[in-house]
Amino acid sequence: MAIRLYNTLTRSKDEFRPIDPNNVRMYVCGPTVYDDAHIGNARPIIVFDLLYRLLRHEYGADHVTYARNITDLDDKINKRAHERGVTIQELTEGTTARFHAAIDALGALRPTVEPRATHHIEEMKVLCEKLVASGHAYVAEDHVLFSVPSMPAYGKLSKRPLDDMIAGARVDVAPYKRSEMDFVLWKPSTEAHEPGWPSPCGIAQPGRPGWHIECSAMSWKHLGEVFDIHGGGIDLVFPHHENEVAQTTCAFGHGVMANVWMHNGFLQVEGEKMSKSLGNFVTIQELLDGWQGKAWPGEVLRLTMLKTHYRQPIDWTVRTMEESWKTLAGWYRATADASPAAVPQAVLEALGDDLNTAKVIAELHALDKRGDHAGLKAALDLLGFDDARAGELTAIADAEADMKDTARVEDLVAARLAARKAKNFAESDRLRDELVAMGIQLMDGKDPATGELTTTWEVVR
């Protein structure tokens, strides 16, 4: 089956042709572990987990290498650890453990390899040396900086005008930079709380890498100089991914770093950009533990995320999560006794069309409607919906449905009683008929103490 993916580099949806079908290679930018992952961070985890599953289905699980890094070396990490009075390792290890627990609950497979920045310092230093030797980088005041003017093709990924790139990069003004667009590959560590290693390029002062060089080093180490797919959020296109392309292609002399670049869209919460100041900033774990009065299962979060095509913006709402829970519970009920089967071709074709999950979900509803529960089960398995907790999910959904039904009945009974007291017998009869149609038997009477009209009820079917 042909897989077509939208490529940010070409701005077109192209047929995916791996460099080596026996070793399909994908790199995705992972978390910076200074704080717990929020629901926006979950989107690339789920999107590229789905792509990983599709690639494994098409090429074989042993023929796909998925690298998703852990950024455990960053100025935000240094600052947070210093503020909390803990070591950098204590902060990053604890945050990483919570990240893994959260994404495991989302049904995400662990990547083939999960490189950490702190384990790849030597590779970063090698890249710095290569870039200086080739004239694409230079040393100034204990910094190693990439020379943007040395690369005429700089900007080919983001395709931004120079003025936009300068604004988007939040350019640091520094007298030692030859061009305002030049960016840091290596910088000196001058504060006691900053980690440091022996510097490359003859620099005596210990230092640490810049952010962009980290991913170039880790992808090179685990996937090679050129690989198949590079993914991440749309916010990473510039400057992070643009700078990765510059570093890697100039270090190794290839025209590309990855043949396909994929980016997921932004996420907002209840129609607004997520921010702590608005009070709508929510972590994955908070959703799992309880948000807006309910603990949301990871499977429900996963389905909610997949309802919207990965390249489109998504509005995260309680209503959408409730709908996802109801839908998933229904599918789990339908597939409870289903036998193993092949994934329906229509589902595979929808996935192969740039992960068209909206169409996939429509196909799942169609499978359910026509009673192909074996096909539905196979599709759910491929999409990452493990039915191990199906009983728990459906039981909670059923209980909530019963509660909602009870509340509806109570409201109708109260409205009918009010109509009776007001001697609005036409409305009282209409409400009685509606309740009877719902299978509710009414018993009218009077309170012995007050003489007030009363009504009790019970379910007769």
Side-chain angles (χ1 to χ4, degrees), residues 281-296:
F281 184 93
V282 58
T283 67
I284 302 170
Q285 195 61 52
E286 285 171 340
L287 284 164
L288 295 169
D289 292 340
W291 185 66
Q292 300 289 342
K294 186 183 298 187
W296 302 94

Side-chain angles (χ1 to χ4, degrees), residues 145-159:
L145 297 115
F146 185 88
S147 174
V148 169
S150 75
M151 182 187 180
Y154 186 83
K156 66 181 179 180
L157 179 64
S158 59
K159 295 178 174 57

Side-chain angles (χ1 to χ4, degrees), residues 29-77:
C29 290
T32 301
V33 286
Y34 74 100
D35 205 352
D36 290 341
H38 56 69
I39 189 60
N41 300 139
R43 195 172 195 192
I45 296 296
I46 293 172
V47 166
F48 293 105
D49 175 71
L50 181 60
L51 179 58
Y52 181 38
R53 290 171 180 273
L54 177 62
L55 294 172
R56 285 161 56 99
H57 183 273
E58 290 301 306
Y59 295 96
D62 295 335
H63 300 295
V64 181
T65 303
Y66 175 23
R68 186 187 65 221
N69 75 293
I70 296 287
T71 297
D72 60 351
L73 176 58
D74 183 85
D75 286 349
K76 291 178 181 177
I77 293 173

Side-chain angles (χ1 to χ4, degrees), residues 1 22 105 114 116 155 226 272 300 340 387-388 406 441 455:
M1 181 192 76
N22 290 315
E114 192 175 53
R116 299 190 179 206
V226 180
E272 294 184 298
V300 171
D387 62 3
T406 299
Q441 179 174 311
T455 298

Side-chain angles (χ1 to χ4, degrees), residues 301-314:
L301 305 184
R302 186 179 183 91
L303 181 58
T304 303
M305 199 71 77
L306 295 179
K307 284 181 174 180
T308 303
H309 189 270
Y310 78 92
R311 287 193 284 116
Q312 300 302 315
I314 184 172

